[in-house]
Short mmCIF file of all heavy atoms in Angstrom, two decimals:
data_model
loop_
_atom_site.label_atom_id
_atom_site.label_comp_id
_atom_site.label_asym_id
_atom_site.label_seq_id
_atom_site.Cartn_x
_atom_site.Cartn_y
_atom_site.Cartn_z
N MET A 1 -4.12 -2.06 15.58
CA MET A 1 -3.26 -2.52 16.66
C MET A 1 -3.98 -2.36 18.00
O MET A 1 -3.68 -3.09 18.92
CB MET A 1 -1.95 -1.76 16.63
CG MET A 1 -1.12 -2.09 15.42
SD MET A 1 0.43 -1.20 15.31
CE MET A 1 1.42 -2.13 16.42
N ALA A 2 -4.93 -1.45 18.07
CA ALA A 2 -5.66 -1.24 19.31
C ALA A 2 -6.61 -2.39 19.61
O ALA A 2 -6.89 -2.68 20.79
CB ALA A 2 -6.41 0.08 19.26
N PHE A 3 -7.11 -3.08 18.59
CA PHE A 3 -8.09 -4.14 18.81
C PHE A 3 -7.46 -5.47 19.26
O PHE A 3 -8.08 -6.20 20.01
CB PHE A 3 -8.87 -4.43 17.52
CG PHE A 3 -9.82 -3.33 17.16
CD1 PHE A 3 -9.53 -2.47 16.13
CD2 PHE A 3 -10.99 -3.15 17.87
CE1 PHE A 3 -10.40 -1.45 15.78
CE2 PHE A 3 -11.88 -2.14 17.54
CZ PHE A 3 -11.57 -1.29 16.49
N ALA A 4 -6.29 -5.77 18.79
CA ALA A 4 -5.71 -7.09 19.02
C ALA A 4 -5.62 -7.45 20.50
O ALA A 4 -6.07 -8.52 20.89
CB ALA A 4 -4.34 -7.19 18.35
N PRO A 5 -5.07 -6.62 21.37
CA PRO A 5 -4.97 -7.02 22.77
C PRO A 5 -6.33 -7.17 23.44
O PRO A 5 -6.49 -7.99 24.34
CB PRO A 5 -4.19 -5.88 23.42
CG PRO A 5 -3.49 -5.20 22.30
CD PRO A 5 -4.35 -5.37 21.09
N ARG A 6 -7.31 -6.46 22.96
CA ARG A 6 -8.65 -6.57 23.56
C ARG A 6 -9.32 -7.87 23.22
O ARG A 6 -9.96 -8.49 24.05
CB ARG A 6 -9.50 -5.40 23.07
CG ARG A 6 -10.84 -5.38 23.67
CD ARG A 6 -11.60 -4.15 23.26
NE ARG A 6 -12.71 -3.99 24.15
CZ ARG A 6 -13.38 -2.92 24.30
NH1 ARG A 6 -13.05 -1.86 23.60
NH2 ARG A 6 -14.39 -2.84 25.11
N PHE A 7 -9.21 -8.32 21.95
CA PHE A 7 -9.87 -9.54 21.53
C PHE A 7 -8.97 -10.78 21.66
O PHE A 7 -9.50 -11.89 21.76
CB PHE A 7 -10.35 -9.38 20.10
CG PHE A 7 -11.43 -8.38 19.95
CD1 PHE A 7 -11.16 -7.16 19.35
CD2 PHE A 7 -12.70 -8.60 20.45
CE1 PHE A 7 -12.17 -6.19 19.23
CE2 PHE A 7 -13.70 -7.66 20.33
CZ PHE A 7 -13.43 -6.45 19.73
N TRP A 8 -7.68 -10.58 21.62
CA TRP A 8 -6.74 -11.69 21.73
C TRP A 8 -5.66 -11.31 22.75
O TRP A 8 -4.57 -10.86 22.40
CB TRP A 8 -6.08 -11.97 20.37
CG TRP A 8 -7.05 -12.40 19.32
CD1 TRP A 8 -7.65 -13.62 19.23
CD2 TRP A 8 -7.53 -11.63 18.23
NE1 TRP A 8 -8.49 -13.64 18.13
CE2 TRP A 8 -8.44 -12.42 17.52
CE3 TRP A 8 -7.31 -10.31 17.80
CZ2 TRP A 8 -9.11 -11.97 16.39
CZ3 TRP A 8 -7.97 -9.87 16.69
CH2 TRP A 8 -8.85 -10.70 15.99
N PRO A 9 -5.95 -11.44 24.05
CA PRO A 9 -4.94 -11.10 25.05
C PRO A 9 -3.64 -11.84 24.81
O PRO A 9 -3.63 -13.00 24.41
CB PRO A 9 -5.59 -11.54 26.37
CG PRO A 9 -7.05 -11.57 26.08
CD PRO A 9 -7.17 -11.96 24.62
N GLY A 10 -2.56 -11.15 25.01
CA GLY A 10 -1.24 -11.76 24.82
C GLY A 10 -0.82 -11.80 23.35
O GLY A 10 0.19 -12.42 23.02
N SER A 11 -1.56 -11.14 22.48
CA SER A 11 -1.23 -11.19 21.06
C SER A 11 -0.15 -10.16 20.73
O SER A 11 0.13 -9.25 21.48
CB SER A 11 -2.48 -10.90 20.21
OG SER A 11 -2.94 -9.58 20.46
N ARG A 12 0.43 -10.36 19.55
CA ARG A 12 1.34 -9.37 19.01
C ARG A 12 0.92 -9.10 17.58
O ARG A 12 0.30 -9.93 16.91
CB ARG A 12 2.79 -9.85 19.07
CG ARG A 12 3.12 -11.04 18.24
CD ARG A 12 4.57 -11.50 18.48
NE ARG A 12 4.78 -12.77 17.84
CZ ARG A 12 5.43 -12.90 16.70
NH1 ARG A 12 5.96 -11.85 16.10
NH2 ARG A 12 5.60 -14.07 16.16
N VAL A 13 1.21 -7.90 17.14
CA VAL A 13 0.83 -7.46 15.80
C VAL A 13 2.10 -7.11 15.03
O VAL A 13 2.98 -6.44 15.56
CB VAL A 13 -0.09 -6.21 15.89
CG1 VAL A 13 -0.46 -5.71 14.52
CG2 VAL A 13 -1.34 -6.55 16.69
N ARG A 14 2.18 -7.59 13.80
CA ARG A 14 3.36 -7.27 13.00
C ARG A 14 2.94 -6.95 11.58
O ARG A 14 1.99 -7.53 11.06
CB ARG A 14 4.41 -8.34 13.06
CG ARG A 14 4.05 -9.62 12.39
CD ARG A 14 5.21 -10.62 12.50
NE ARG A 14 4.89 -11.89 11.92
CZ ARG A 14 5.27 -12.27 10.70
NH1 ARG A 14 6.00 -11.46 9.95
NH2 ARG A 14 4.94 -13.45 10.24
N PRO A 15 3.67 -6.03 10.94
CA PRO A 15 3.34 -5.68 9.54
C PRO A 15 3.75 -6.81 8.60
O PRO A 15 4.78 -7.45 8.79
CB PRO A 15 4.14 -4.42 9.29
CG PRO A 15 5.20 -4.39 10.32
CD PRO A 15 4.72 -5.19 11.49
N VAL A 16 2.94 -7.06 7.61
CA VAL A 16 3.22 -8.05 6.55
C VAL A 16 2.70 -7.45 5.24
O VAL A 16 2.06 -6.41 5.22
CB VAL A 16 2.55 -9.41 6.83
CG1 VAL A 16 3.12 -10.07 8.06
CG2 VAL A 16 1.05 -9.28 6.92
N GLU A 17 2.94 -8.15 4.17
CA GLU A 17 2.39 -7.77 2.87
C GLU A 17 1.38 -8.84 2.45
O GLU A 17 1.66 -10.03 2.54
CB GLU A 17 3.51 -7.68 1.84
CG GLU A 17 3.05 -7.12 0.52
CD GLU A 17 4.20 -6.89 -0.43
OE1 GLU A 17 5.05 -6.05 -0.11
OE2 GLU A 17 4.22 -7.54 -1.48
N ALA A 18 0.20 -8.39 2.03
CA ALA A 18 -0.85 -9.31 1.59
C ALA A 18 -1.35 -8.84 0.23
O ALA A 18 -1.82 -7.71 0.10
CB ALA A 18 -1.99 -9.32 2.60
N ASN A 19 -1.20 -9.69 -0.75
CA ASN A 19 -1.63 -9.34 -2.12
C ASN A 19 -0.99 -8.04 -2.61
O ASN A 19 -1.63 -7.21 -3.25
CB ASN A 19 -3.15 -9.26 -2.21
CG ASN A 19 -3.79 -10.57 -1.89
OD1 ASN A 19 -3.31 -11.62 -2.29
ND2 ASN A 19 -4.89 -10.54 -1.16
N GLY A 20 0.28 -7.86 -2.26
CA GLY A 20 1.03 -6.69 -2.71
C GLY A 20 0.69 -5.40 -1.96
O GLY A 20 1.11 -4.33 -2.38
N ARG A 21 -0.04 -5.51 -0.85
CA ARG A 21 -0.45 -4.33 -0.09
C ARG A 21 -0.05 -4.48 1.35
O ARG A 21 0.05 -5.59 1.88
CB ARG A 21 -1.97 -4.18 -0.19
CG ARG A 21 -2.43 -4.09 -1.63
CD ARG A 21 -3.89 -4.02 -1.72
NE ARG A 21 -4.28 -2.77 -1.06
CZ ARG A 21 -5.53 -2.36 -0.98
NH1 ARG A 21 -6.49 -3.09 -1.48
NH2 ARG A 21 -5.82 -1.23 -0.39
N PRO A 22 0.13 -3.37 2.05
CA PRO A 22 0.45 -3.45 3.49
C PRO A 22 -0.71 -4.03 4.26
O PRO A 22 -1.88 -3.78 3.97
CB PRO A 22 0.69 -1.99 3.90
CG PRO A 22 0.74 -1.21 2.65
CD PRO A 22 0.12 -2.00 1.56
N ALA A 23 -0.38 -4.82 5.27
CA ALA A 23 -1.38 -5.44 6.15
C ALA A 23 -0.73 -5.68 7.50
O ALA A 23 0.47 -5.47 7.64
CB ALA A 23 -1.87 -6.76 5.55
N VAL A 24 -1.52 -6.08 8.47
CA VAL A 24 -0.97 -6.46 9.77
C VAL A 24 -1.48 -7.85 10.09
O VAL A 24 -2.61 -8.22 9.80
CB VAL A 24 -1.33 -5.47 10.91
CG1 VAL A 24 -0.63 -4.16 10.71
CG2 VAL A 24 -2.80 -5.31 11.06
N LEU A 25 -0.62 -8.62 10.71
CA LEU A 25 -0.90 -9.98 11.13
C LEU A 25 -0.99 -10.01 12.64
O LEU A 25 -0.09 -9.52 13.31
CB LEU A 25 0.17 -10.95 10.64
CG LEU A 25 -0.05 -12.41 10.97
CD1 LEU A 25 -1.22 -12.97 10.17
CD2 LEU A 25 1.22 -13.22 10.65
N VAL A 26 -2.07 -10.58 13.17
CA VAL A 26 -2.24 -10.74 14.61
C VAL A 26 -1.87 -12.18 14.95
O VAL A 26 -2.43 -13.12 14.37
CB VAL A 26 -3.68 -10.44 15.04
CG1 VAL A 26 -3.82 -10.62 16.56
CG2 VAL A 26 -4.10 -9.03 14.63
N GLN A 27 -0.92 -12.35 15.87
CA GLN A 27 -0.49 -13.68 16.28
C GLN A 27 -0.60 -13.82 17.77
O GLN A 27 -0.33 -12.90 18.54
CB GLN A 27 0.95 -13.94 15.89
CG GLN A 27 1.15 -14.09 14.39
CD GLN A 27 2.58 -14.38 14.05
OE1 GLN A 27 3.38 -13.45 13.95
NE2 GLN A 27 2.89 -15.64 13.85
N VAL A 28 -1.01 -15.03 18.20
CA VAL A 28 -0.99 -15.41 19.60
C VAL A 28 -0.01 -16.55 19.68
O VAL A 28 -0.25 -17.61 19.12
CB VAL A 28 -2.38 -15.81 20.13
CG1 VAL A 28 -2.30 -16.29 21.55
CG2 VAL A 28 -3.35 -14.65 20.02
N GLY A 29 1.13 -16.33 20.31
CA GLY A 29 2.21 -17.28 20.25
C GLY A 29 2.68 -17.38 18.82
O GLY A 29 2.93 -16.37 18.16
N GLU A 30 2.76 -18.57 18.27
CA GLU A 30 3.14 -18.76 16.89
C GLU A 30 1.95 -18.90 15.95
O GLU A 30 2.09 -19.01 14.76
CB GLU A 30 4.06 -19.99 16.75
CG GLU A 30 5.37 -19.85 17.45
CD GLU A 30 6.19 -18.66 16.90
OE1 GLU A 30 6.28 -18.51 15.66
OE2 GLU A 30 6.72 -17.90 17.71
N ASP A 31 0.74 -18.87 16.53
CA ASP A 31 -0.48 -19.04 15.72
C ASP A 31 -1.00 -17.71 15.19
O ASP A 31 -1.21 -16.77 15.95
CB ASP A 31 -1.58 -19.69 16.56
CG ASP A 31 -1.22 -21.07 17.02
OD1 ASP A 31 -0.52 -21.80 16.27
OD2 ASP A 31 -1.63 -21.46 18.12
N ALA A 32 -1.21 -17.66 13.89
CA ALA A 32 -1.84 -16.48 13.29
C ALA A 32 -3.34 -16.59 13.51
O ALA A 32 -3.96 -17.62 13.27
CB ALA A 32 -1.54 -16.43 11.80
N VAL A 33 -3.94 -15.50 14.01
CA VAL A 33 -5.38 -15.52 14.29
C VAL A 33 -6.16 -14.55 13.41
O VAL A 33 -7.37 -14.71 13.25
CB VAL A 33 -5.68 -15.26 15.78
CG1 VAL A 33 -5.13 -16.39 16.64
CG2 VAL A 33 -5.11 -13.93 16.25
N ALA A 34 -5.50 -13.55 12.83
CA ALA A 34 -6.22 -12.61 11.97
C ALA A 34 -5.22 -11.84 11.10
O ALA A 34 -4.07 -11.62 11.47
CB ALA A 34 -7.03 -11.62 12.80
N LEU A 35 -5.71 -11.42 9.95
CA LEU A 35 -4.96 -10.56 9.04
C LEU A 35 -5.87 -9.38 8.72
O LEU A 35 -7.04 -9.58 8.40
CB LEU A 35 -4.60 -11.31 7.76
CG LEU A 35 -3.84 -10.53 6.70
CD1 LEU A 35 -2.38 -10.37 7.12
CD2 LEU A 35 -3.95 -11.20 5.36
N LEU A 36 -5.34 -8.19 8.85
CA LEU A 36 -6.14 -6.98 8.63
C LEU A 36 -5.51 -6.11 7.56
O LEU A 36 -4.31 -5.88 7.58
CB LEU A 36 -6.24 -6.18 9.95
CG LEU A 36 -6.84 -4.80 9.87
CD1 LEU A 36 -8.32 -4.88 9.56
CD2 LEU A 36 -6.59 -4.05 11.16
N SER A 37 -6.35 -5.67 6.63
CA SER A 37 -5.92 -4.75 5.60
C SER A 37 -7.03 -3.72 5.42
O SER A 37 -8.19 -4.00 5.69
CB SER A 37 -5.68 -5.50 4.29
OG SER A 37 -5.23 -4.63 3.29
N VAL A 38 -6.67 -2.52 4.97
CA VAL A 38 -7.68 -1.47 4.78
C VAL A 38 -7.55 -0.89 3.37
O VAL A 38 -6.46 -0.85 2.81
CB VAL A 38 -7.57 -0.34 5.83
CG1 VAL A 38 -7.86 -0.84 7.21
CG2 VAL A 38 -6.21 0.33 5.79
N ASP A 39 -8.68 -0.46 2.82
CA ASP A 39 -8.71 0.34 1.62
C ASP A 39 -8.94 1.79 2.06
O ASP A 39 -9.87 2.05 2.85
CB ASP A 39 -9.88 -0.06 0.72
CG ASP A 39 -9.58 -1.31 -0.12
OD1 ASP A 39 -8.39 -1.65 -0.26
OD2 ASP A 39 -10.52 -1.90 -0.64
N VAL A 40 -8.10 2.67 1.59
CA VAL A 40 -8.23 4.09 1.95
C VAL A 40 -8.35 4.96 0.70
O VAL A 40 -7.93 4.56 -0.40
CB VAL A 40 -7.03 4.56 2.80
CG1 VAL A 40 -6.99 3.82 4.15
CG2 VAL A 40 -5.73 4.40 2.08
N SER A 41 -8.94 6.11 0.90
CA SER A 41 -9.07 7.11 -0.16
C SER A 41 -8.87 8.46 0.48
O SER A 41 -8.72 8.56 1.71
CB SER A 41 -10.46 7.00 -0.79
OG SER A 41 -11.46 7.46 0.11
N PRO A 42 -8.87 9.52 -0.31
CA PRO A 42 -8.74 10.84 0.29
C PRO A 42 -9.83 11.16 1.31
O PRO A 42 -9.62 11.99 2.20
CB PRO A 42 -8.82 11.79 -0.92
CG PRO A 42 -8.33 10.98 -2.07
CD PRO A 42 -8.83 9.59 -1.77
N GLU A 43 -10.96 10.49 1.22
CA GLU A 43 -12.04 10.73 2.16
C GLU A 43 -11.85 9.99 3.48
O GLU A 43 -12.51 10.26 4.45
CB GLU A 43 -13.40 10.32 1.56
CG GLU A 43 -13.89 11.23 0.46
CD GLU A 43 -13.22 10.94 -0.88
OE1 GLU A 43 -12.86 9.80 -1.15
OE2 GLU A 43 -13.01 11.90 -1.64
N GLY A 44 -10.93 9.00 3.51
CA GLY A 44 -10.69 8.23 4.73
C GLY A 44 -10.70 6.74 4.44
O GLY A 44 -10.39 6.30 3.35
N ILE A 45 -11.05 5.95 5.45
CA ILE A 45 -11.08 4.51 5.33
C ILE A 45 -12.35 4.09 4.60
O ILE A 45 -13.46 4.43 5.03
CB ILE A 45 -11.01 3.82 6.69
CG1 ILE A 45 -9.66 4.13 7.37
CG2 ILE A 45 -11.20 2.31 6.58
CD1 ILE A 45 -9.54 3.64 8.78
N ASP A 46 -12.20 3.39 3.49
CA ASP A 46 -13.35 2.93 2.71
C ASP A 46 -13.81 1.54 3.13
O ASP A 46 -14.98 1.22 3.12
CB ASP A 46 -13.02 2.91 1.21
CG ASP A 46 -12.81 4.29 0.65
OD1 ASP A 46 -13.46 5.25 1.13
OD2 ASP A 46 -11.97 4.43 -0.27
N ARG A 47 -12.83 0.68 3.46
CA ARG A 47 -13.17 -0.70 3.77
C ARG A 47 -12.11 -1.30 4.67
O ARG A 47 -10.92 -1.04 4.47
CB ARG A 47 -13.26 -1.49 2.47
CG ARG A 47 -13.61 -2.93 2.63
CD ARG A 47 -13.91 -3.62 1.34
NE ARG A 47 -12.91 -3.36 0.29
CZ ARG A 47 -12.88 -3.95 -0.87
NH1 ARG A 47 -13.81 -4.83 -1.18
NH2 ARG A 47 -11.95 -3.66 -1.77
N ILE A 48 -12.54 -2.07 5.65
CA ILE A 48 -11.63 -2.83 6.52
C ILE A 48 -11.86 -4.29 6.20
O ILE A 48 -12.98 -4.78 6.24
CB ILE A 48 -11.90 -2.55 8.01
CG1 ILE A 48 -11.69 -1.07 8.30
CG2 ILE A 48 -10.99 -3.43 8.87
CD1 ILE A 48 -12.09 -0.66 9.71
N MET A 49 -10.79 -4.99 5.89
CA MET A 49 -10.89 -6.40 5.51
C MET A 49 -10.16 -7.26 6.55
O MET A 49 -8.98 -7.04 6.83
CB MET A 49 -10.30 -6.63 4.13
CG MET A 49 -11.07 -5.86 3.06
SD MET A 49 -10.20 -5.71 1.52
CE MET A 49 -9.04 -4.40 1.93
N TRP A 50 -10.90 -8.23 7.10
CA TRP A 50 -10.34 -9.18 8.06
C TRP A 50 -10.33 -10.55 7.43
O TRP A 50 -11.31 -10.97 6.82
CB TRP A 50 -11.22 -9.26 9.30
CG TRP A 50 -11.16 -8.10 10.22
CD1 TRP A 50 -11.94 -6.98 10.17
CD2 TRP A 50 -10.29 -7.93 11.32
NE1 TRP A 50 -11.60 -6.13 11.19
CE2 TRP A 50 -10.59 -6.70 11.90
CE3 TRP A 50 -9.28 -8.71 11.88
CZ2 TRP A 50 -9.91 -6.22 13.02
CZ3 TRP A 50 -8.61 -8.23 12.99
CH2 TRP A 50 -8.94 -7.02 13.55
N VAL A 51 -9.25 -11.27 7.61
CA VAL A 51 -9.18 -12.68 7.25
C VAL A 51 -8.89 -13.43 8.53
O VAL A 51 -7.94 -13.11 9.25
CB VAL A 51 -8.06 -12.96 6.20
CG1 VAL A 51 -7.94 -14.46 5.92
CG2 VAL A 51 -8.30 -12.18 4.94
N MET A 52 -9.73 -14.42 8.83
CA MET A 52 -9.57 -15.16 10.08
C MET A 52 -9.55 -16.67 9.87
O MET A 52 -9.56 -17.43 10.82
CB MET A 52 -10.65 -14.75 11.08
CG MET A 52 -10.53 -13.26 11.41
SD MET A 52 -11.80 -12.68 12.53
CE MET A 52 -11.28 -13.41 14.05
N SER A 53 -9.50 -17.12 8.64
CA SER A 53 -9.46 -18.54 8.33
C SER A 53 -8.04 -19.07 8.55
O SER A 53 -7.10 -18.63 7.91
CB SER A 53 -9.85 -18.76 6.86
OG SER A 53 -9.55 -20.08 6.47
N PRO A 54 -7.88 -20.03 9.47
CA PRO A 54 -6.54 -20.59 9.73
C PRO A 54 -5.84 -21.09 8.48
O PRO A 54 -4.64 -20.93 8.31
CB PRO A 54 -6.80 -21.72 10.73
CG PRO A 54 -8.06 -21.33 11.40
CD PRO A 54 -8.89 -20.64 10.34
N ALA A 55 -6.58 -21.68 7.56
CA ALA A 55 -5.97 -22.20 6.33
C ALA A 55 -5.40 -21.08 5.47
O ALA A 55 -4.37 -21.25 4.83
CB ALA A 55 -7.02 -22.98 5.53
N LYS A 56 -6.02 -19.93 5.47
CA LYS A 56 -5.53 -18.80 4.68
C LYS A 56 -4.44 -18.03 5.39
O LYS A 56 -3.66 -17.33 4.74
CB LYS A 56 -6.69 -17.86 4.33
CG LYS A 56 -7.71 -18.50 3.41
CD LYS A 56 -8.83 -17.55 3.11
CE LYS A 56 -9.82 -18.19 2.18
NZ LYS A 56 -10.93 -17.28 1.84
N LEU A 57 -4.35 -18.14 6.69
CA LEU A 57 -3.38 -17.36 7.46
C LEU A 57 -2.01 -18.04 7.58
O LEU A 57 -1.03 -17.35 7.86
CB LEU A 57 -3.92 -17.10 8.87
CG LEU A 57 -5.14 -16.21 8.94
CD1 LEU A 57 -5.67 -16.19 10.37
CD2 LEU A 57 -4.82 -14.83 8.46
N SER A 58 -1.93 -19.31 7.35
CA SER A 58 -0.67 -20.02 7.59
C SER A 58 0.47 -19.47 6.76
O SER A 58 1.61 -19.39 7.26
CB SER A 58 -0.84 -21.52 7.33
OG SER A 58 -1.19 -21.76 5.99
N ALA A 59 0.24 -19.07 5.55
CA ALA A 59 1.32 -18.53 4.70
C ALA A 59 1.87 -17.21 5.28
O ALA A 59 3.06 -16.95 5.18
CB ALA A 59 0.83 -18.31 3.29
N TYR A 60 1.00 -16.41 5.88
CA TYR A 60 1.45 -15.14 6.45
C TYR A 60 2.20 -15.33 7.75
O TYR A 60 3.12 -14.57 8.04
CB TYR A 60 0.25 -14.21 6.64
CG TYR A 60 -0.42 -13.86 5.37
CD1 TYR A 60 -1.62 -14.44 5.00
CD2 TYR A 60 0.16 -12.96 4.48
CE1 TYR A 60 -2.22 -14.13 3.80
CE2 TYR A 60 -0.42 -12.64 3.28
CZ TYR A 60 -1.62 -13.24 2.95
OH TYR A 60 -2.22 -12.93 1.76
N ALA A 61 1.86 -16.34 8.51
CA ALA A 61 2.58 -16.60 9.76
C ALA A 61 4.02 -16.95 9.49
O ALA A 61 4.90 -16.64 10.30
CB ALA A 61 1.88 -17.70 10.53
N ASP A 62 4.30 -17.58 8.38
CA ASP A 62 5.67 -17.99 8.04
C ASP A 62 6.43 -16.95 7.25
O ASP A 62 7.63 -17.11 7.00
CB ASP A 62 5.63 -19.28 7.20
CG ASP A 62 5.01 -20.43 7.98
OD1 ASP A 62 5.08 -20.45 9.22
OD2 ASP A 62 4.43 -21.33 7.33
N SER A 63 5.77 -15.84 6.89
CA SER A 63 6.42 -14.83 6.05
C SER A 63 7.33 -13.93 6.91
O SER A 63 7.10 -13.73 8.11
CB SER A 63 5.40 -13.97 5.34
OG SER A 63 4.71 -13.17 6.27
N PRO A 64 8.39 -13.40 6.30
CA PRO A 64 9.27 -12.49 7.03
C PRO A 64 8.57 -11.18 7.31
O PRO A 64 7.64 -10.78 6.56
CB PRO A 64 10.46 -12.28 6.08
CG PRO A 64 9.93 -12.59 4.75
CD PRO A 64 8.84 -13.61 4.95
N PRO A 65 8.96 -10.45 8.36
CA PRO A 65 8.34 -9.16 8.64
C PRO A 65 8.55 -8.20 7.47
O PRO A 65 9.54 -8.26 6.76
CB PRO A 65 9.07 -8.65 9.88
CG PRO A 65 9.70 -9.87 10.46
CD PRO A 65 9.95 -10.82 9.35
N ARG A 66 7.60 -7.31 7.30
CA ARG A 66 7.67 -6.31 6.23
C ARG A 66 8.51 -5.16 6.67
O ARG A 66 8.55 -4.71 7.74
CB ARG A 66 6.27 -5.86 5.86
CG ARG A 66 6.24 -4.95 4.70
CD ARG A 66 4.80 -4.69 4.30
NE ARG A 66 4.76 -3.85 3.18
CZ ARG A 66 4.62 -2.52 3.27
NH1 ARG A 66 4.44 -1.94 4.41
NH2 ARG A 66 4.61 -1.79 2.19
#
């Protein structure tokens, strides 16, 4: 949530579900610009996954909030 306003001024972040896992969707207006999900373990964050393809984001923009 800290990155979105820096890279996308005027954006909003909302929780969604992606592939059965928690994620956040970054939107500017009604346009989805990024989807972020993380893999975590007891040691901490293992992987951060960003999806920024407009074609892949359209389904998440229309989904209800989680």
Side-chain angles (χ1 to χ4, degrees):
M1 293 179 80
F3 289 106
R6 183 175 196 163
F7 294 108
W8 298 284
S11 63
R12 65 185 171 102
V13 178
R14 68 179 178 99
V16 295
E17 188 173 296
N19 298 320
R21 303 178 63 179
V24 292
L25 182 68
V26 180
Q27 290 182 277
V28 176
E30 294 300 314
D31 297 326
V33 295
L35 179 76
L36 171 68
S37 182
V38 296
D39 279 343
V40 296
S41 70
E43 289 80 32
I45 296 174
D46 293 327
R47 180 170 49 173
I48 300 173
M49 296 164 283
W50 286 90
V51 176
M52 298 177 73
S53 168
K56 293 180 180 180
L57 294 173
S58 62
Y60 296 105
D62 298 332
S63 69
R66 185 172 181 265

